[in-house]
Amino acid sequence: MNRSVASLITVIIVALFGVFFLYPVGMTLAVAFRNQDGGFTLDYLIGVFRNPVYLEGLWNSFLMGIGSTLAALLIAFPLALATHRWVFPGKKLLSILILAPLVLPPFVGAVGIKQILGVSGSLNACLIELGLMNPYAPMDWLGEGRLWGVIIMNALHLYPILYMNIAAALSHLDPAMEQAAQNLGCSPWRRLRKITLPLCMPGVFAGSAIVFIWSFTELGVPLVFDYTRVASVQIYDGIKDLHTNPMPYALVGIMLLVSAAVFTFSKMILGRSGLGSAPRPKTHTGERRLPIGQGIAVSLAFLSVIGIACVPHIGVVLLSLSGDWYGSILPESMTLAHYSEALGHPLVVPSIKNSLLYATGSTLLDILLGTAIAWVIVRSTIRGRVLLDALMMLPLAVPGLVLAFGYIAVSQKGEALHWLVGEANNPMFLLIAAYAVRRLPYVVRAAVAGLQQSNPTLEEAARSMGASPSRTVRRIALPLIGANLIAGGILAFAFAMLEVSDSLILAQQSEHFPITKAIYSLLNTLGNGHELASALGVWAMVFLGISIMGAFVILGKRSGNIFRF
């Protein structure tokens, strides 16, 4: 790529990134550390730690992040290791099905879990039926244990991210290292501790950092579980009086600093280690075909994890079909009326149109910008392209909660980006920008992977035959990375359609609601609101499931790299 063109693209990208990412994030910190006279102050920050309610919320959020990460790691690591080492019945299909939890937003799954673990839920009904519980004193499984409920929901939803990162790291290891240790008499557990685990630590740290930041700032699940003693819900509740109360900004600032510290620590660990960076030799294989009995046992273990992880999905599907489900193991009657009624609800159809508009706009931006960024990173020789690559990964480290509050700060009257909402307070451009920024890393990583695997001599040959740069890109380069762009675009579109934090915070008027805000509003509707929300959640589940499975089938094992810093 011509150096002047690469430099121009870099300047444009950095300028846009600065306006729509760095500026809002910086404004969040500015409000948190600025007093009424415009000077610097730590009073709000200190006030958070002096307020026992805010302090408890931060501590619970920290426990939520740590607990969710450890639980997800306990699930993901054995699965990834089994996939790496063994061949067992149904391995390819199970490796795809293991991603099933990603097809349902966790706050929708929380509705299904409440129906199963509530006081009048399926579990208690089953225990009462078996005579193992007093029907006059049923257990409230989510009563005092809501924090654990949130942790379990997060872990069951996010373990595929850790699984993909670890599997991607293991796929690049040289199996000869483990085989050499085995030949020298090293026991399996010692090989795991001394060789395999250290070599796959880059994937563990990359995935763990994403899971922690995601869980630490999770908003939807605590809202559905009525667990208000976490910082994310306290911030959400503080939207009503932002003009008079700067404490929500201070809380957001603290969460941003914690997330940035985790991101920095992860990059330091990954940067120090060159382990696991060498490509796996194609002539060797570390996989061993298990005897039929052991293979079936491993397959059953995979199916058990998938089954447990899909309990929220099953609860949502049953709730969407239930005519009457109270105090019984299964719905006493079934109906499809909720699906048609949900689609006919005045909130739903406009929200679907809004989400399609927001997600389409953000995905087109991501594909355009992501392709240009990848071209600079892979095909140019300008200085700073490595820094540009790292900069584009920053949105994975910044929670949607933080970015949403940043957009609120920069779009107020008198601020530089107020024109994005105008006098009508329409958040369309804010949501498109927020979705695009949050999902840009997916497209960048997919495009970078495609360009690294395509042969640049094909482009050089076209140029030597007189093809113009634009024609070379259009006829040679883009078709070669088309599958990668499609996969990255599918992921960006699917996750934008069901984005939670940005949607709940930025869309405050019903005519601007995206799907996730409509689902949350239906949950708060009296009568059959939960059933209607579940029906809409099932539609969303089917859409997201098809999108995610298609993207990961296209990318294969390389898909884990999309979810890495």
Side-chain angles (χ1 to χ4, degrees), residues 349-426:
V349 174
S351 72
I352 294 175
K353 292 179 180 178
N354 290 338
S355 285
L356 287 172
L357 175 62
Y358 305 154
T360 301
S362 66
T363 303
L364 291 176
L365 282 175
D366 282 338
I367 292 176
L368 178 63
L369 297 177
T371 305
I373 293 165
W375 221 274
V376 172
I377 293 171
V378 179
R379 290 289 191 261
S380 77
T381 58
I382 65 170
R383 293 181 180 180
R385 63 186 187 280
V386 176
L387 182 60
L388 177 65
D389 189 13
L391 185 66
M392 293 303 108
M393 295 302 105
L394 281 180
L396 290 177
V398 175
L401 196 69
V402 173
L403 190 62
F405 258 73
Y407 279 120
I408 289 178
V410 300
S411 61
Q412 299 294 317
K413 283 189 176 182
E415 298 295 340
L417 297 183
H418 175 65
W419 58 273
L420 287 174
V421 296
E423 296 303 323
N425 201 29
N426 186 341

